[in-house]
Amino acid sequence: MLRYFNMNGVFAIYKPSGISSAKFLDRVQATFTESKVFAHDLQQARAKILSDLNTDKKWRGGRAEKKASRTKVKIGHGGTLDPLASGVLVVGVGLGTKKLQFYLSECRKTYETKALLGISTTTGDSEGEIITHNEIDHITSEMVKDATKKFIGDIKQTPPIFSALKVNGKPLYEYARQGLPLPTSIKVRDVTVYDIKVFEDDLLSTDHEFKTLVSELDENGVPKEHGLENNPTLNDSPLYFSSQYLEKCEKEEVSSEVGKPKILPSDKDLPEKLPMIHFSSDVSSGTYIRSLISDIGRALESSAYMVELIRTKQSEWELGKNVFTIEDFEKDERIWGAVLKKVLDDGGKDIDLKSEFEKIASEVAKESPEQDSHQSKKRSIDEVEN
């Protein structure tokens, strides 16, 4: 039986849509804590806790032992993904948690996203409430491609109003909910969009799975957006283009100004399926993709909201190459334990997980017949002795 020591380091796992990063990480932690792969390290951690607490009188009477027994494998992540989003979740284990700050604030990330045009929401995605309905008939494929170019480079971003950020100790969304003006402007972020690639095969397509959002009614039966569409907290944030695009406009003596979003007339309805934009963006840490989508919609004199988001790459971790799935950890521990150990020790950059799993599985399969033969022989002896 293989024994594993010093299981410390960083790896990446695919987080599916529909679950928060915290809950998904709890699932990974539970799997590791219950496994034999981390048994040695966990035993040492629990022994240290007992040693530290036994000198303190208040932890006597079995309390120290109880706390130690509840200790789990130390784990953390290098950048959360919303429940709606899926993709690369960087995870630190043991001493590897000290390396997570780089992934939280310093590395590049790549996202593939889909958005629908014509509606803005409180959250910038399909989980929010509708703020406005906007015209879409004037939008062409060329306009979309031209609009994305305005955001490539160094830009300022206004975080979504419905985020966890606070102003004067109060969450931004509480100001929006109550229709209150912010006591101070939202602090913009300086981020970098290295590239945006528009997928042209389904650009402005209405042949997709996403249904158009339906207005929610308030207690009086009035669509909620009627009370939100003129809310300054939600609608007055500046639209920022990249400094590189602005310099280009100045050099070529062309205007960088765009008109305000065209509000859909009350006697006109949006189609059952809204046109979709689908693109990949390579960005710096701290970039809000929901804000980027919303701003692209505004640059088209319309609006947009996100319906799908996949983080395909974060620093050296890339889907389809060196990123685990939760199903990998449901396999034979002798296999996934050896693969994970190699990734933690080597950094994972040059490892192809599919090939590595096949290699280790083959090695384990060669060992198994000998183990099975030994176990069979032992049972036979036991039967004779009984």
Side-chain angles (χ1 to χ4, degrees):
M1 177 77 181
L2 289 173
R3 297 191 70 189
Y4 299 92
F5 303 89
N6 301 321
M7 296 293 286
N8 303 298
V10 176
F11 71 98
I13 187 170
Y14 173 82
K15 185 198 85 72
S17 177
I19 185 172
S20 69
S21 295
K23 287 187 177 180
F24 183 71
L25 206 62
D26 286 344
R27 183 177 172 185
V28 176
Q29 184 182 48
T31 298
F32 287 178
T33 300
E34 294 166 7
S35 73
K36 294 178 181 178
V37 173
F38 286 86
H40 179 267
D41 287 7
L42 200 54
Q43 183 181 24
Q44 285 191 321
R46 289 169 175 170
K48 186 178 186 308
I49 290 174
L50 276 176
S51 176
D52 292 343
L53 295 181
N54 277 335
T55 59
D56 191 334
K57 292 182 180 180
K58 71 178 182 179
W59 286 100
R60 292 178 181 174
R63 294 182 65 200
E65 288 80 0
K66 189 175 182 180
K67 179 175 177 61
S69 67
R70 291 200 298 260
T71 300
K72 301 176 181 179
V73 172
K74 186 178 181 181
I75 202 168
H77 67 73
T80 188
L81 283 170
D82 291 339
L84 175 66
S86 63
V88 178
L89 186 68
V90 175
V91 179
V93 180
L95 296 176
T97 54
K98 295 181 179 180
K99 300 179 180 180
L100 294 177
Q101 187 56 43
F102 167 77
Y103 295 100
L104 288 166
S105 60
E106 300 176 41
C107 69
R108 287 169 66 155
K109 306 173 185 179
T110 302
Y111 294 90
E112 182 178 339
T113 187
K114 293 179 181 179
L116 300 185
L117 297 169
I119 289 178
S120 66
T121 74
T122 52
T123 58
D125 58 33
S126 57
E127 297 184 337
E129 297 173 13
I130 295 173
I131 301 176
T132 60
H133 291 89
N134 299 94
E135 291 275 13
I136 55 175
D137 293 341
H138 63 287
I139 300 173
T140 66
S141 296
E142 287 304 315
M143 287 175 64
V144 174
K145 288 184 282 186
D146 288 342
T148 59
K149 294 174 183 176
K150 299 177 181 181
F151 299 93
I152 297 175
D154 301 314
I155 64 172
K156 295 183 181 297
Q157 272 198 328
T158 303
I161 188 73
F162 275 69
S163 67
L165 296 178
K166 295 182 179 181
V167 173
N168 292 350
K170 187 173 183 176
L172 293 178
Y173 60 79
E174 288 192 15
Y175 290 97
R177 285 284 185 201
Q178 298 170 25
L180 300 173
L182 296 177
T184 182
S185 59
I186 302 174
K187 186 176 181 180
V188 297
R189 291 189 175 191
D190 291 309
V191 300
T192 302
V193 177
Y194 299 101
D195 194 18
I196 299 177
K197 294 180 180 178
V198 177
F199 295 97
E200 296 189 41
D201 57 342
D202 57 3
L203 181 54
L204 299 182
S205 171
T206 56
D207 183 18
H208 53 72
E209 63 195 274
F210 308 106
K211 294 182 179 179
T212 300
L213 282 180
V214 178
S215 299
E216 293 185 25
L217 304 180
D218 62 19
E219 62 274 11
N220 298 316
V222 178
K224 286 185 177 181
E225 63 262 26
H226 288 187
L228 296 174
E229 59 189 7
N230 295 315
N231 186 325
T233 308
L234 295 171
N235 296 295
D236 285 353
S237 61
L239 177 61
Y240 298 104
F241 296 139
S242 74
S243 57
Q244 288 84 347
Y245 172 72
L246 295 177
E247 289 172 8
K248 181 175 180 291
C249 289
E250 184 176 355
K251 183 178 180 180
E252 297 177 358
E253 298 183 345
V254 296
S255 175
S256 62
E257 297 294 321
V258 298
K260 290 186 176 182
K262 300 176 181 179
I263 299 299
L264 190 74
S266 57
D267 60 348
K268 185 177 180 181
D269 293 323
L270 289 171
E272 184 178 344
K273 288 291 187 75
L274 295 175
M276 181 176 72
I277 54 175
H278 179 195
F279 62 89
S280 174
S281 54
D282 184 17
V283 302
S284 66
S285 288
T287 304
Y288 282 105
I289 302 300
R290 287 180 293 162
S291 292
L292 180 60
I293 288 169
S294 177
D295 287 347
I296 290 173
R298 293 171 65 188
L300 292 167
E301 299 184 1
S302 184
S303 56
Y305 68 96
M306 187 177 75
V307 291
E308 183 177 277
L309 180 67
I310 306 171
R311 185 190 286 160
T312 58
K313 187 176 181 180
Q314 182 169 358
S315 190
E316 67 269 32
W317 309 101
E318 185 174 1
L319 289 183
K321 180 184 176 184
N322 54 4
V323 177
F324 289 88
T325 66
I326 194 66
E327 289 76 21
D328 288 331
F329 298 119
E330 295 171 356
K331 298 174 181 177
D332 188 327
E333 286 186 9
R334 293 174 296 171
I335 299 174
W336 71 254
V339 177
L340 180 61
K341 176 64 173 171
K342 184 174 179 61
V343 170
L344 294 178
D345 289 349
D346 297 349
K349 182 177 181 180
D350 299 317
I351 292 178
D352 183 291
L353 282 188
K354 183 180 179 182
S355 298
E356 203 63 35
F357 267 103
E358 290 174 352
K359 175 184 173 183
I360 300 298
S362 177
E363 293 175 0
V364 169
K366 291 177 182 178
E367 297 172 0
S368 296
E370 297 178 6
Q371 294 176 357
D372 293 343
S373 174
H374 175 73
Q375 290 173 354
S376 176
K377 190 178 294 183
K378 185 177 186 298
R379 284 196 298 273
S380 178
I381 293 172
D382 289 341
E383 289 173 4
V384 172
E385 290 178 346
N386 288 334

